[in-house]
Amino acid sequence: SGKDRHETAIEISKVGWPDGAETVVLARDTTFPDALAGAPFAYQKDAPILLNPKDSLNGKVKERIKELGAREVVILGGEGAISDKVAKDLKNTGLDVRRIGGKSRYETAANIAKEFGYYDQAVIAYGGNFPDALSIAPYAASNGIPILLSPTDELANETKEALKSVTDTMIVGGKSAISHQVLKQLANSNPVRISGKDRYEASVNIATKLEMPGDIITVATG
C-alpha cells in the first residue's frame, strides 16, 4: 500500500518487478477502464501498471520509472485520459513513448486487443464499473485473452469489430451489468456467463469456475 493510489501502484511495482522492467504501462488514476483492459497487455509485456493524473507527470511516478530502468512507456487511453503534456514530459526524459487510445473506453479496449495480433477468445465485461473486469483480469492476463468492455444493453461497434476473429467469449457479471440482449449479440461466439448475486460472489465464482490457482489470494476493495 501507499498513502495514495499513485504510491500503492508504485509499491506493487516494487514487489512485482524488484529487478526493474523494460516497459511501463501508464493509466489514468481516477478512472478504471483503461487499466483493466490493459492488464492482459501489461502481462504480455511483463510491465507494471503505474497510475497518473491527466495533466501532469506525478513526481514519484517519474522517479519510479527511472528506478525500474524502463526504456518504453505505453500510455493507455486518449488525451482525455492522459494529456499530451504528460507524454512530452516522458519523452523529455529520453523514454520511448507510445499511446494506445481511442475515442471512448470501448475503442481503447478494442485497440489494446489489437496488440495481441490474432486471438480467438475474449472476455466481455461491463464498461461502467470495475469489479467484474477486475476479478477476471488475472485469468485473462495469464491466458493471453483480451478484455473488451460493453455497455449493458448493446455492444459498442468497436467491440463488435474486435470480436471478428473470436470463437469463444466469456461474459463476466449478471444481466444487470451485461444484458441478455448483449448475450444474444454474441451468439456466434459461444458465450458463457460467469456471475453471482453480487460482485463478491461473482469474484468467487470467477476464481472457482475457472480453477484459478489459489496458492496466493489477492484481496482488494469491491
Side-chain angles (χ1 to χ4, degrees):
S1 67
K3 75 172 197 302
D4 58 25
R5 58 191 66 190
H6 309 114
E7 287 191 22
T8 295
I10 286 165
E11 291 304 315
I12 291 167
S13 79
K14 288 177 183 175
V15 175
W17 290 265
D19 302 320
E22 189 127 319
T23 301
V24 168
V25 170
L26 198 64
R28 179 67 182 274
D29 55 356
T30 55
T31 60
F32 59 89
D34 300 337
L36 288 179
F41 168 74
Y43 182 92
Q44 192 183 54
K45 299 285 281 184
D46 192 20
I49 298 175
L50 297 180
L51 303 177
N52 197 76
K54 178 186 173 185
D55 288 318
S56 62
L57 181 58
N58 178 283
K60 291 197 167 153
V61 170
K62 182 179 178 180
E63 192 181 311
R64 181 60 186 147
I65 292 169
K66 191 177 174 184
E67 282 171 6
L68 284 159
R71 295 197 309 192
E72 177 190 42
V73 174
V74 180
I75 295 172
L76 300 182
E79 286 182 39
I82 292 186
S83 71
D84 200 41
K85 180 184 182 302
V86 174
K88 282 177 182 159
D89 287 349
L90 289 164
K91 283 176 189 164
N92 289 341
T93 65
L95 290 156
D96 290 331
V97 180
R98 71 185 179 103
R99 184 189 294 275
I100 307 171
K103 296 191 304 290
S104 66
R105 60 191 59 189
Y106 308 109
E107 187 174 22
T108 293
N111 286 339
I112 291 167
K114 283 179 188 168
E115 297 284 327
F116 285 77
Y118 175 79
Y119 54 92
D120 57 9
Q121 292 178 279
V123 167
I124 307 291
Y126 177 49
N129 212 334
F130 67 88
D132 299 330
L134 181 62
S135 296
I136 196 74
Y139 177 85
S142 58
N143 288 281
I145 303 169
I147 297 172
L148 298 170
L149 302 175
S150 178
T152 299
D153 292 317
E154 173 87 18
L155 283 173
N157 288 332
E158 298 88 350
T159 308
K160 287 179 192 168
E161 186 67 27
L163 286 165
K164 281 190 170 169
S165 64
V166 170
T167 55
D168 292 278
T169 49
M170 190 183 304
I171 298 169
V172 285
K175 289 175 190 170
S176 62
I178 301 285
S179 69
H180 189 65
Q181 175 66 23
V182 170
L183 187 138
K184 286 203 299 197
Q185 287 185 300
L186 294 166
N188 293 334
S189 59
N190 191 30
V192 173
R193 186 192 293 272
I194 302 180
S195 62
K197 69 176 190 297
D198 56 27
R199 57 188 63 186
Y200 309 109
E201 188 176 78
S203 74
V204 171
N205 289 342
I206 286 164
T208 52
K209 288 184 179 175
L210 297 174
E211 298 180 344
M212 290 166 72
D215 51 335
I216 297 175
I217 302 289
T218 307
V219 180
T221 181

